[in-house]
Amino acid sequence: MNEAKAKPRINFLRLILFALVAIVLSGGVFAVFYLMFRQRDASLTYEKLDIDANMDYHVSGGYLTYASATDLIQVNTSDTKKSIVTNLPTAIDGFGVSSTITAVYAGSNLQLRNFKTLTLNGTIRGVACGGSHCAALRTNEVNGLDSIVVFNASAEAVGNPIDFSESKVVNFGFETGYGRELLWVICVNTQASLPVTTVRLYDYNNGGAMSYFPSFYEQSIERVYFTEDSVFLIGTEDIVRYNLDSSRERYRVGIYGKEVMDVAFSSGTVRFLLKPRGSSNEHILYTLALAEADAPNTTMLTVYVGENIVNAFLQSNGIRIVTRTRMISYTYSGKNSPSADIELEYPADAALKLNDSSFLLVSGDDCYFTKRES
């Protein structure tokens, strides 16, 4: 008679222990991957600046610049520890700043940093600085005519003054992107029965050669925006794209009733952030995408914000909206991600874009260099 073999005994306790260990290990691996790849909550850092909210401050050339009674202070918008302070021997009327040139003026006197003071004929109304040139707008005290005098970085006059015998200059500046040194000027002819706006370009990489665009009779031009191949003239009724090499109009897109707040360019698309013109509808924004091509391929979206907007700008491939108590984020497709919204530590009375991740927060009389961390 054969003896039956005993069946192996199953150790259930050992199986349970193995299962628990496997669960713990898999959970640990999941936790590691989660910590490595999870999207961190966005936050804001604040650095209080020695700026009174009532001061005149400007952003250009990578600096937030303002003047105190004794100094001109340039806060580096990428690293506030690299700020520049220049002593002012006398009070000034205004200043102009680029990444390479700084100029101040008072009355008819103009001074580029590290050079002696220059005295111009007429009263200086403003200055603009480029990569290697500085332009001063002056008005003749006798006949009231405007002219612009251009200097190189060594404070030497370049060419003859640019005269505007029948027009008043309403805005001007330098475009230095893509290695350019273009002086752009927006002027209005007040001699005609209706105001006529013209835009001129002066190429100081080519001896100050001038190009100009057709006159605008039906609207004012408020600002200009450059890409590598184009210039967009932003008016009160239209955005008009021109080829830079030929001053030829490619297309125009109507924006009547809207005002451009910010512009950004990437991958052949120019994006405009707009708001309703005037003080009504302070909770509505629009995004307008235009192709840098012969046809605009227009895409317009409306963004409804559930609270009044203090300011808004384009940053980091999205829309940042500052309200009284929050910074709200939207994608270019108009989607809001609540996890990316941030409560402000200080109530916002004003906000000014500094660069792609930072802005100046004005709260009461205080100003804060505010950076978004994500």
Side-chain angles (χ1 to χ4, degrees):
M1 184 174 179
N2 293 331
E3 184 176 343
K5 294 183 178 179
K7 294 182 179 181
R9 180 181 295 178
I10 298 175
N11 192 327
F12 288 100
L13 181 59
R14 183 174 296 176
L15 286 176
I16 293 171
L17 289 175
F18 277 138
L20 290 174
V21 170
I23 291 172
V24 171
L25 289 176
S26 63
V29 171
F30 174 80
V32 169
F33 275 91
Y34 174 77
L35 291 173
M36 290 176 61
F37 297 106
R38 73 183 176 95
Q39 183 177 2
R40 294 174 174 82
D41 292 338
S43 62
L44 293 173
T45 60
Y46 302 84
E47 179 181 348
K48 188 174 180 180
L49 300 177
D50 189 22
I51 308 177
D52 187 283
N54 298 314
M55 285 182 174
D56 185 21
Y57 45 82
H58 299 278
V59 179
S60 61
Y63 293 98
L64 168 68
T65 305
Y66 62 97
S68 68
T70 58
D71 298 300
L72 184 73
I73 299 96
Q74 296 172 249
V75 180
N76 189 304
T77 58
S78 297
D79 185 353
T80 58
K81 295 180 181 179
K82 296 181 179 179
S83 300
I84 302 172
V85 179
T86 303
N87 180 255
L88 298 173
T90 60
I92 63 172
D93 294 331
F95 53 83
V97 174
S98 71
S99 59
T100 54
I101 299 176
T102 300
V104 297
Y105 65 93
S108 59
N109 294 324
L110 172 71
Q111 185 176 22
L112 277 65
R113 178 185 283 142
N114 300 325
F115 292 94
K116 66 180 182 179
T117 300
L118 305 170
T119 301
L120 309 184
N121 293 324
T123 301
I124 300 173
R125 289 173 46 209
V127 297
C129 297
S132 55
H133 294 80
C134 174
L137 170 64
R138 65 183 183 181
T139 299
N140 188 292
E141 296 175 351
V142 177
N143 56 28
L145 297 181
D146 287 349
S147 62
I148 290 178
V149 186
V150 178
F151 300 88
N152 61 23
S154 299
E156 301 166 331
V158 177
N160 296 319
I162 304 169
D163 295 323
F164 301 87
S165 58
E166 297 181 351
S167 301
K168 297 297 290 183
V169 176
V170 296
N171 202 357
F172 69 109
F174 277 95
E175 160 62 21
T176 59
Y178 308 99
R180 299 189 186 115
E181 190 75 357
L182 283 176
L183 172 66
W184 55 267
V185 183
I186 302 174
C187 46
V188 176
N189 185 337
T190 57
Q191 303 295 320
S193 57
L194 292 175
V196 180
T197 302
T198 57
V199 180
R200 305 184 193 180
L201 299 181
Y202 299 86
D203 186 357
Y204 282 93
N205 283 341
N206 190 23
M210 185 187 79
S211 59
Y212 60 92
F213 302 94
S215 298
F216 290 83
Y217 295 87
E218 75 284 2
Q219 63 182 309
S220 298
I221 301 300
E222 297 183 317
R223 58 194 292 187
V224 296
Y225 181 78
F226 293 85
T227 65
E228 185 172 6
D229 300 317
S230 309
V231 56
F232 290 81
L233 305 186
I234 302 171
T236 52
E237 296 188 8
D238 298 297
I239 295 175
V240 189
R241 175 183 175 255
Y242 289 88
N243 273 57
L244 265 178
D245 57 358
S246 64
S247 298
R248 177 185 173 190
E249 180 179 329
R250 308 306 294 188
Y251 60 72
R252 63 175 59 200
V253 175
I255 57 167
Y256 181 77
K258 301 178 181 66
E259 180 181 353
V260 172
M261 304 176 69
D262 200 5
V263 192
F265 174 74
S266 64
S267 303
T269 299
V270 183
R271 288 184 170 85
F272 299 85
L273 181 65
L274 306 98
K275 66 178 181 179
R277 189 172 291 275
S279 58
S280 62
N281 296 324
E282 294 180 346
H283 57 280
I284 296 178
L285 295 174
Y286 309 92
T287 61
L288 173 65
L290 302 178
E292 191 177 32
D294 290 337
N297 298 324
T298 306
T299 301
M300 174 82 82
L301 293 174
T302 302
V303 177
Y304 296 95
V305 183
E307 48 197 293
N308 285 349
I309 298 166
V310 173
N311 201 359
F313 24 80
L314 303 176
Q315 284 184 329
S316 301
N317 297 319
I319 308 166
R320 309 296 183 209
I321 303 169
V322 179
T323 70
R324 177 72 172 167
T325 59
R326 293 194 298 160
M327 170 178 266
I328 306 170
S329 296
Y330 281 82
T331 65
Y332 285 144
S333 60
K335 295 180 180 179
N336 170 240
S337 176
S339 63
D341 296 344
I342 309 170
E343 296 292 328
L344 299 177
E345 291 187 14
Y346 309 96
D349 295 309
L352 177 67
K353 177 181 175 179
L354 299 178
N355 54 37
D356 202 42
S357 60
S358 304
F359 66 98
L360 182 72
L361 173 67
V362 179
S363 182
D365 292 330
D366 298 326
C367 296
Y368 299 88
F369 181 88
T370 309
K371 185 173 183 179
R372 188 177 189 275
E373 306 283 356
S374 59

